[in-house]
Amino acid sequence: MPDLIKIAPVQMGGIVRTIPMVTRMQLIPVLFERLDDALDKASVFFAGPQTALYRIDGDEMEVRIGVPLFQPVDGFEMFDAPCGNALCQRVLGPLDGLPGVYRSLSEEISARGLTRGVWAREVYRFIAKDASLNVTDVSIDVTDALH
């Protein structure tokens, strides 16, 4: 069952792009590859957790993919991952079921009488070559205050 959580703001660095909704499934993996290349070029051994934020505006989607950064690093755009309240579900294993997770979260927002916010986000807590070991927190922001 999804949890209602408070998300703290985080200053991040990475890639910010607006892409057509219809090509998102092809373009989003390319953005992650670009982030990995930028980390490698910056000689960053570890940065995490990687976070992806998604905001839909009509036929386009703003995508922010990055890692926590406290100062600018060459090759990274600085951006804020905003604070907020969100309905969150932890996903264990492969990420191919994400569309169903988003549907489930959207249905749960309605069932609880909450109001959907602007951002959806994925925080990759642990990603492995063996996808059965993955741990990802998927959330959709809500505008309602936590009690």
Side-chain angles (χ1 to χ4, degrees):
M1 167 155 272
D3 295 316
L4 195 55
I5 63 168
K6 184 172 239 6
I7 297 174
V10 179
Q11 183 179 5
M12 304 194 83
I15 298 168
V16 177
R17 294 291 178 269
T18 299
I19 60 174
M21 278 292 291
V22 15
T23 58
R24 70 189 182 282
M25 300 309 269
Q26 293 82 28
L27 294 179
I28 290 173
V30 172
L31 296 178
F32 278 98
E33 290 172 15
R34 289 180 58 202
L35 178 64
D36 289 341
D37 288 344
L39 288 167
D40 189 48
K41 285 179 185 166
S43 297
V44 175
F45 172 71
F46 172 79
Q50 286 191 2
T51 299
L53 292 104
Y54 305 102
R55 174 171 56 185
I56 298 171
D57 184 14
D59 292 336
E60 296 183 324
M61 174 186 280
E62 180 182 342
V63 180
R64 298 180 183 183
I65 297 173
V67 294
L69 284 183
F70 303 101
Q71 64 185 32
V73 173
D74 285 343
F76 292 80
E77 292 181 55
M78 297 301 290
F79 63 89
D80 292 321
C83 66
N85 298 319
L87 200 59
C88 180
Q89 182 172 330
R90 179 159 282 175
V91 176
L92 304 175
L95 299 175
D96 50 1
L98 286 180
V101 172
Y102 280 107
R103 272 191 303 281
S104 174
L105 285 171
S106 294
E107 291 168 1
E108 187 69 20
I109 287 170
S110 290
R112 293 188 190 195
L114 299 171
T115 304
R116 186 181 179 128
V118 172
W119 293 101
R121 49 185 102 205
E122 298 166 11
V123 179
Y124 308 99
R125 301 291 177 190
F126 188 84
I127 299 295
K129 288 182 181 179
D130 176 356
S132 69
L133 300 174
N134 292 351
V135 179
T136 307
D137 291 335
V138 179
S139 62
I140 296 176
D141 288 2
V142 296
T143 59
D144 310 87
L146 294 178
H147 302 333

